[in-house]
Each structure stands twice: as C-alpha cells, then as structure tokens.
Amino acid sequence: MTPEQLPIEHYDAQLEEKVARLQTLMVPFTAKDVEVFRSPVSHYRMRAEFRIWHDGDDLYHIIFDQQTRQRIRVDSFPAASELINRLMPRLMDAVRDKPALRHKLFQIDYLSTLSNQIVVSLLYHRALTEEWQQAATALRDELRAEGFDLHLIGRATKTKICLDRDYVDERLTVAGKEIIYRQVENSFTQPNAAMNIKMLEWALDVTQNASGDLLELYCGNGNFSLALARNFRRVLATEIAKPSVASAQYNIAVNNIDNVQIIRMAAEEFTQAMNGTRQFNRLEGIDLSSYECETIFVDPPRSGLDSETVKMVQAYPRILYISCNPETLCDNLATLSATHDVERLALFDQFPYTHHMECGVLLTRR
C-alpha cells in the first residue's frame, strides 16, 4: 500500500477492531455502550508535513516508511484535504525551476481548512534573503490569481518570514451554529475537521442539561470552550501556549461570546491555585470563588492527567474527558472510578487506518 492509496475497503473492519479494543479497556469501569463516530474515508486531514527530495532537476514530496525508513515519493496524498492535494503538484511545479525558492528547501508544511484557506510553510537549511522574499511573494500572488486563498511562510534557523499572516480562519458549523476558529501555523489544531465537529456536537449533547459554570483545562485555541459556552452560565478555561491563548482571545471576540474567560496557566499551576498552595499574578482580577463550576472538561496530552490534577478533577460532580490515548485515560479512570460512574462513552475515529483512537467519557459523581 502506497501513500497514494488508502485501504478504504478495510475501513469498517479496522473501526470494528478499535471499538472492540476500547470496550475491552473499559470493562473494569462498567462503561456504557460505545457511541461510534466514523471518519470520512479520505481527505480527512487538514494538516500534512512532507520532506522534500532533490533528485537532479526534479523535486518532489516524500515521506519515510515508519518501519523500514524507506523513502517514498508522494505526488498526491488522499488522507489530506482536497485543497492540500490540489496545491501539492502546483506548488512543486512552481518551485522546481526557481533557484531562489528551491535551494536547500527541505520540508513543506500545509495547514488547510474547510473554509478553503491554507497556510504553507517552506523550511530551509539556509538563510532567507531578499531574493527569496521577492520570489516567494511572486509565487503567492501567482497562486492566488489561480484561486488559492494562500498564505506563505518561510522558515530557517531562528528565522520566520510571514509574507502577510501566519494563520487561517476556519469556519465550522456546530449543531446549527457557525463558529470561527483562528488557527496559527505550527500550533496545535484538531487534524480531522469532520471528526472535530462530531466531538464538539457530542460534547454539547452530553452537557445540554448542565447547570452552573464550566471549568476547562488544556483549552488550546478555545475549540471546545466556544462551542460549549451556550450550555453554561460561564466558562473558565486554561491554556499555557501563548499562540493558542492569543487565538482563543481572538475567537472569543470574533464570535461575540461574552461568557468565556481564558487564563494563561498550565493545568498543574491552576491546580495549585485552586488548592491555595500558590498565588499567581495572572489570576489578579479574577475571582475564582465566584465561579460555580459543577462540570470540568479536560482534553490532556497523550500522557493523561498528572496525579494532583486527577485529585482536583474528582472534586467536580461532572467530568467530561476527551482522550487521545485510551491507555492513559484508563490509568486516570482507575482513580476517578472510585468516586464517579461512566455515563457516556464515545469513540471518534480521528485517525483512520492507524491504531490511534480518540475517545470521550462523561463521568458523574455517585
């Protein structure tokens, strides 16, 4: 199987295997039936990164086989969005005969959207000159004239040149309401937009009768915060990455949402603040005691929640947990299940044709 082919005929069987594996993992927690959300079978990834191979006068995208490390030429990539696939050959044609753009180009990163905007980052093993900037500007204008809503970035050691901007504005319709999400190049965004919509709509469904306020840890660019705001009086959310916090603040403003507050803090720091073990200047002017958070939402990294945060999370009547690693989720559930029951369980096939699973759990305190 090559990168230019997807084993679409095996999709259903692979998804069934994931469902069975998740059900087995969740047996100790007397979980409910798994709610399964299918991915599109192709063109589901909004992001893609390729190394660039120079072969005489030729130039093309490559990836490396994960097992053999063999180099594989990639002229199309059906896992990626249709927009990325349209742009890939056109960009190669444009760069191939332009020394100012081609010389020591070693990687291209694509970030696309369902709203048909795309950011392309060209990565180099050399300094970027005025000649590069002029050639890149001409290329951008040429591709825009062909209908690509393109934003071009050059990267080299300690250098980042944005010809105009380093972000795209995604527009997702979530449970009948359009939400604008600013997504910054080189920052985390959900890779599978169709599955992201399904995750957001599932989170809305399981919290539709919630009361009080919502506390969210690891909020990123406000992906869940903005969607869930309609179900809560107020949302208090934390995030540590500066670009993500800036995007979240923009997203709050552009969507005219007035009940979401973002704090730039790590989850571990916020736990210390909530426990009163440390004070933070970043919380000045925010009255934590005024929040009546009966629901906490967590979407942690693959390592899961640290032990102190798990204990803090247990204090909330309702826990909404999105996980990209069911094994660390189960590690956390070993503690959480002492006080909470699993009410809803979902599998989101964020990464088709891989063993990776994204899942969601709603827990309520006994």
Side-chain angles (χ1 to χ4, degrees):
M1 190 66 62
T2 72
E4 297 182 358
Q5 299 172 294
L6 290 174
I8 292 173
E9 67 277 11
H10 300 308
Y11 178 80
D12 289 333
Q14 290 180 336
L15 183 56
E16 287 174 10
E17 288 176 8
K18 292 181 184 181
V19 173
R21 182 154 56 94
L22 182 59
Q23 286 173 325
T24 300
L25 286 168
M26 296 296 292
V27 164
F29 313 111
T30 59
K32 306 294 183 181
D33 291 338
V34 181
E35 302 166 53
V36 181
F37 296 90
R38 301 167 57 89
S39 173
V41 295
S42 65
H43 303 304
Y44 46 84
R45 283 194 63 89
M46 297 293 107
R47 303 197 310 257
E49 299 177 359
F50 301 97
R51 297 301 291 265
I52 301 302
W53 193 257
H54 299 252
D55 185 7
D57 292 334
D58 203 1
L59 183 78
Y60 46 84
H61 301 84
I62 64 166
I63 61 172
F64 292 97
D65 184 281
Q66 291 185 340
Q67 275 75 43
T68 66
R69 301 305 298 165
Q70 179 184 357
R71 184 178 72 250
I72 303 170
R73 178 171 177 158
V74 180
D75 293 319
S76 65
F77 195 64
S81 69
E82 292 182 359
L83 177 55
I84 291 175
N85 276 275
R86 288 200 308 273
L87 185 56
M88 284 172 63
R90 181 65 190 89
L91 189 63
M92 281 295 94
D93 288 343
V95 169
R96 188 174 285 113
D97 62 352
K98 295 180 177 64
L101 296 176
R102 172 181 175 142
H103 183 52
K104 293 195 175 180
L105 172 68
F106 74 92
Q107 183 168 318
I108 299 181
D109 299 347
Y110 298 87
L111 170 62
S112 66
T113 64
L114 295 179
S115 58
N116 283 318
Q117 295 182 11
I118 188 165
V119 169
V120 176
S121 301
L122 306 177
L123 282 64
Y124 292 87
H125 284 314
R126 65 176 175 92
L128 299 181
T129 62
E130 179 65 27
E131 183 186 14
W132 176 89
Q133 190 158 340
Q134 291 174 356
T137 300
L139 171 61
R140 178 203 62 190
D141 294 345
E142 181 181 331
L143 292 172
R144 283 184 178 176
E146 296 174 13
F148 290 103
D149 189 351
L150 170 74
H151 306 281
L152 203 57
I153 296 169
R155 283 186 172 274
T157 304
K158 297 182 180 179
T159 303
K160 176 181 175 180
I161 298 177
C162 295
L163 298 188
D164 41 16
R165 68 190 209 195
D166 64 351
Y167 61 84
V168 287
D169 287 333
E170 177 64 289
R171 294 174 178 268
L172 301 181
T173 300
V174 180
K177 182 178 179 181
E178 184 180 81
I179 306 176
I180 299 171
Y181 290 104
R182 177 151 293 178
Q183 300 180 346
V184 178
E185 175 259 1
N186 220 29
S187 296
F188 176 78
T189 54
Q190 295 288 344
N192 187 326
M195 291 312 304
N196 187 32
I197 292 171
K198 291 180 180 180
M199 286 196 298
L200 295 174
E201 292 182 337
W202 182 82
L204 275 169
D205 180 54
V206 303
T207 60
Q208 61 182 329
N209 297 316
S211 57
D213 302 321
L214 172 68
L215 172 62
E216 180 183 356
L217 309 182
Y218 314 97
C219 77
N221 69 346
N223 183 56
F224 282 93
S225 319
L226 304 182
L228 290 173
R230 68 185 93 167
N231 279 0
F232 294 89
R233 187 184 65 148
R234 290 190 294 173
V235 177
L236 179 65
T238 71
E239 172 58 45
I240 189 61
K242 279 185 179 180
S244 294
V245 171
S247 294
Q249 300 289 15
Y250 172 84
N251 294 336
I252 290 168
V254 77
N255 288 286
N256 298 309
I257 295 174
D258 60 6
N259 64 335
V260 176
Q261 172 77 52
I262 306 290
I263 304 170
R264 186 171 171 261
M265 299 186 84
E268 296 79 5
E269 292 176 325
F270 189 78
T271 299
Q272 294 170 342
M274 291 293 288
N275 293 339
T277 57
R278 274 184 69 187
Q279 290 186 329
F280 295 87
N281 293 333
R282 282 167 280 173
L283 292 174
E284 194 172 331
I286 298 174
D287 182 7
L288 293 181
S289 64
S290 72
Y291 283 85
E292 299 173 0
C293 295
E294 298 180 20
T295 305
I296 186 166
F297 176 87
V298 293
D299 184 6
R302 292 190 59 78
S303 56
L305 300 173
D306 67 273
S307 58
E308 289 303 310
T309 303
V310 169
K311 293 175 187 175
M312 188 268 281
V313 164
Q314 274 187 295
Y316 294 84
R318 292 159 62 90
I319 304 167
L320 183 55
Y321 193 137
I322 298 288
S323 171
C324 61
N325 186 344
E327 281 77 15
T328 55
L329 168 65
C330 289
D331 290 343
N332 290 159
L333 287 178
T335 302
L336 297 175
S337 62
T339 52
H340 290 69
D341 293 322
V342 175
E343 289 291 326
R344 300 276 293 270
L345 171 64
L347 187 152
F348 307 99
D349 198 18
Q350 179 96 254
F351 306 100
Y353 317 111
T354 74
H355 71 279
H356 294 295
M357 287 191 288
E358 192 104 357
C359 49
V361 177
L362 176 70
L363 301 111
T364 56
R365 191 162 56 197
R366 286 194 289 277

